[in-house]
Amino acid sequence: MKRLAKVLTAFAGVMLSGAASAAGGHALPYEYNADVSNVASLQRGARDFMAYCSGCHSMKYLRYNRIGKDLQIPEDLLKSSLMFTSDKVGDQIHSAMPVDKAKTWFGQTPPDLTLETRARGVSWVYSYLRTFYVDPKRPLGVNNLVLPNASMPHVLWSLQGWQVKVEHEGEHAAEGHHGAPLKLVQQGSMTPDEYERFVGDLVNFMAYAAEPGKMHRTAVGYKAMVYLIVLLVLCYLLKKEFWRDIH
Ligand code: HEC
C-alpha cells in the first residue's frame, strides 16, 4: 500500500513538472488572445510578416493563394505587396535566406514559423516579440526575456526602439510598472501602444497560419447553430400541431 502511494506521488510529481515546463516553466510577461476573425488585422499581419520576417523565416505549410482567398486579398495586390520570394500564387512561403548560410550567420537556422503559435503558444510568441533588450554580452548586442540567448537580431528595433533590463525587479513592480521588467530607453518610430498593436497583428496572422481552417470552422459553426435553432422551432410547432386534436 505504501509503495503504491509512493508511486502515485512520484507520478503526480512528473505530471505537474511536465505541465509547468509546457507552460514555459515560469509565467510569461505578457498574455495574449489571438483573434483570427479580424480580417483587417490578419491582412496587416500578413503584410508585416512578409516585410519583416520572411527574409529569414519560411511558412512552408501555407500557400500564397490560400492567404489571398482567406484574407480577401486580390491576386494583383497579393503579387505586388506580399510575394517577395516567389511569383507563383500556388507556391508555399519560403524564406529568402539560403539555408547553408543561415547557420554560419546566426549559429542557428531560423525555424519555419507556420506552426509556431501552436508549438510555443500565442502568448509566448507575443511576449518574445516584445521582450528583446540590449545586452552587450551577446554577439548581436541583444538578448530576449522568454528565449534567453536567442540568436535572432531585434529585427523590429526601428519600430519599437531599444529596451534595457531593469536591475531591481521589485522596484519596477513597486513603481506601478506591469509586464516585463524592461524599460524603453530609446523609442523607435512607433509609440509603445502602436508597437503593441503591430505585434498583435503579427501574432494574429501567425495564429491564422497555424490553423487556417479555424476561420471557416467558426463560421460554419455559427451557421449550424442557426440551422438547429430554426429546426427546433419548426419541430416544436409540428409537435403542437400533432397534439392539438388529442388534448
Ligand atoms: C535576420 C534573420 C531573422 C529575421 C528577419 C527574423 N528572425 Fe526570427 N529567428 C531568427 C533566428 C536565427 C532564430 C533562432 C533563434 C534561436 O533559436 O536562438 C529565430 C527565432 C524566432 C522565433 C523563435 C522560434 C523558437 O520557437 O525557438 C520566433 C517566434 C521568431 N523568430 C519570429 C520572428 C518574427 C515574427 C519575425 C519578423 C518580425 C522574425 N522572426 C524575423 C532569425 C530571424
Side-chain angles (χ1 to χ4, degrees):
M1 197 58 206
K2 252 190 181 159
R3 188 186 272 169
L4 181 68
K6 248 187 197 165
V7 171
L8 281 180
T9 332
F11 183 67
V14 170
M15 295 301 284
L16 280 177
S17 66
S21 64
H26 52 84
L28 289 166
Y30 302 108
E31 290 289 322
Y32 188 69
N33 289 317
D35 178 7
V36 295
S37 63
N38 184 345
V39 175
S41 164
L42 296 183
Q43 289 174 341
R44 289 193 297 271
R47 176 197 64 197
D48 299 336
F49 184 89
M50 298 309 163
Y52 291 99
C53 319
S54 71
C56 295
H57 293 279
S58 57
M59 270 208 179
K60 61 182 179 207
Y61 303 109
L62 192 62
R63 291 173 194 277
Y64 293 104
N65 51 5
R66 173 87 209 230
I67 300 185
K69 191 164 137 256
D70 288 344
L71 308 193
Q72 300 155 27
I73 305 173
E75 194 171 315
D76 47 344
L77 196 62
L78 193 69
K79 277 190 168 163
S80 64
S81 58
L82 293 188
M83 296 175 53
F84 301 130
T85 57
S86 162
D87 55 5
K88 295 194 208 71
V89 288
D91 268 359
Q92 295 130 311
I93 302 165
H94 292 291
S95 84
M97 183 180 302
V99 177
D100 51 330
K101 294 281 189 327
K103 192 106 191 162
T104 25
W105 288 341
F106 300 106
Q108 295 272 352
T109 319
D112 183 88
L113 292 182
T114 329
L115 302 173
E116 181 68 10
T117 54
R118 270 207 266 174
R120 292 282 202 179
V122 167
S123 293
W124 188 93
V125 177
Y126 181 77
S127 296
Y128 176 69
L129 294 173
R130 287 185 58 187
T131 59
F132 280 93
Y133 65 91
V134 176
D135 181 357
K137 289 197 265 327
R138 297 292 306 152
L140 297 172
V142 282
N143 210 330
N144 188 275
L145 223 50
V146 296
L147 187 67
N149 300 338
S151 48
M152 174 170 139
H154 182 19
V155 295
L156 301 173
W157 70 270
S158 65
L159 309 179
Q160 185 189 24
W162 295 106
Q163 305 185 106
V164 294
K165 204 163 181 179
V166 175
E167 287 310 324
H168 305 289
E169 285 188 30
E171 277 172 34
H172 184 66
E175 280 171 26
H177 296 292
H178 301 291
L182 297 173
K183 195 167 74 184
L184 193 65
V185 285
Q186 189 191 322
Q187 189 175 309
S189 62
M190 290 182 170
T191 65
D193 283 351
E194 284 167 346
Y195 184 71
E196 213 173 288
R197 273 196 297 276
F198 178 92
V199 171
D201 289 340
L202 257 181
V203 174
N204 284 347
F205 171 68
M206 289 172 72
Y208 150 77
E211 220 183 335
K214 194 169 179 184
M215 282 169 97
H216 297 290
R217 223 175 40 233
T218 331
V220 170
Y222 281 123
K223 280 186 200 142
M225 293 293 285
V226 170
Y227 174 77
L228 287 175
I229 289 167
V230 170
L231 199 67
L232 183 75
V233 172
L234 285 177
C235 286
Y236 177 72
L237 292 176
L238 201 63
K239 174 197 164 255
K240 268 180 97 172
E241 186 63 28
F242 277 156
W243 287 84
R244 200 174 46 196
D245 301 333
I246 299 173
H247 287 306

